[in-house]
Amino acid sequence: MRKLPRLAAVLSSGAAAAMLAACVSYPAGPVAGPGYGPAPYPMHSAPVAGTEHGRIVNIEYVPVGAVYRRPPNAFGAIVGGIAGALIGNQFGSGGGRAAATVLGGVAGAGIGNAIAHNQAGVVTQPGYRITMQTDQGLVRTYEVPATGDLRVGDRVRVDNGVIYRG
């Protein structure tokens, strides 16, 4: 008879942990600014109309299509919360056992949520961020799907947002 209240406590702890895990939020995108550190260099958000000349100072690989904001995975959180509560219930006695059960449920829900997201995977495509310093000294960045034959140090001409060598 003593097993039934314990099972009810484990299941309710797992459900509570799953509900808490559903409250997790993720940032909407990469963050920079106060409290997060400065952006690595000035970003240019729109192509410049006209023609500019300059030199490529940096090319970096940036996967395109990465998901920054993901909704919580309820199934993973529930399964993880129940498993964590069952494991936590094995430790301590009395009030310590109850605390271990709740903590195990909360930790398990978070881990289950993360595992479920990792299982889903993220499909990315290659992309590159090209940083150019203009002849006037301005720094411009462009995100392109491929670099072609461009290399760091090359002289380039930018015509309406399209980068040409030379």
Side-chain angles (χ1 to χ4, degrees), residues 43-56 130-142 150 154-166:
M43 297 293 286
H44 175 69
S45 59
V48 175
T51 303
E52 285 188 310
H53 295 274
R55 186 170 303 280
I56 294 178
I130 297 178
T131 306
M132 175 191 105
Q133 183 168 13
T134 67
D135 290 343
Q136 291 78 26
L138 299 171
V139 175
R140 306 246 190 244
T141 57
Y142 300 91
L150 297 175
D154 285 352
R155 289 277 306 157
V156 292
R157 171 178 52 92
V158 179
D159 246 343
N160 294 323
V162 180
I163 304 172
Y164 299 96
R165 191 167 179 205

Side-chain angles (χ1 to χ4, degrees), residues 18 20-26 69-77 113 116-117:
L20 286 174
C23 295
V24 174
S25 66
Y26 296 94
R69 183 176 178 86
R70 301 177 293 185
N73 187 304
F75 180 73
N113 186 31
H117 280 293

Side-chain angles (χ1 to χ4, degrees), residues 34-156:
Y36 296 104
Y41 41 78
M43 297 293 286
H44 175 69
S45 59
V48 175
T51 303
E52 285 188 310
H53 295 274
R55 186 170 303 280
I56 294 178
V57 294
N58 190 25
I59 298 175
E60 61 183 307
Y61 175 75
V62 180
V64 178
V67 176
Y68 294 106
R69 183 176 178 86
R70 301 177 293 185
N73 187 304
F75 180 73
I78 290 170
V79 171
I82 291 172
L86 288 173
I87 291 170
N89 193 36
Q90 304 303 312
F91 299 99
S93 64
R97 176 173 283 186
T101 302
V102 171
L103 289 175
V106 171
I111 292 170
N113 186 31
I115 289 173
H117 280 293
N118 289 341
Q119 294 285 329
V122 175
V123 178
T124 61
Q125 299 172 353
Y128 298 88
R129 183 174 294 140
I130 297 178
T131 306
M132 175 191 105
Q133 183 168 13
T134 67
D135 290 343
Q136 291 78 26
L138 299 171
V139 175
R140 306 246 190 244
T141 57
Y142 300 91
E143 291 188 5
V144 296
T147 61
D149 62 347
L150 297 175
R151 303 285 178 258
V152 174
D154 285 352
R155 289 277 306 157
V156 292

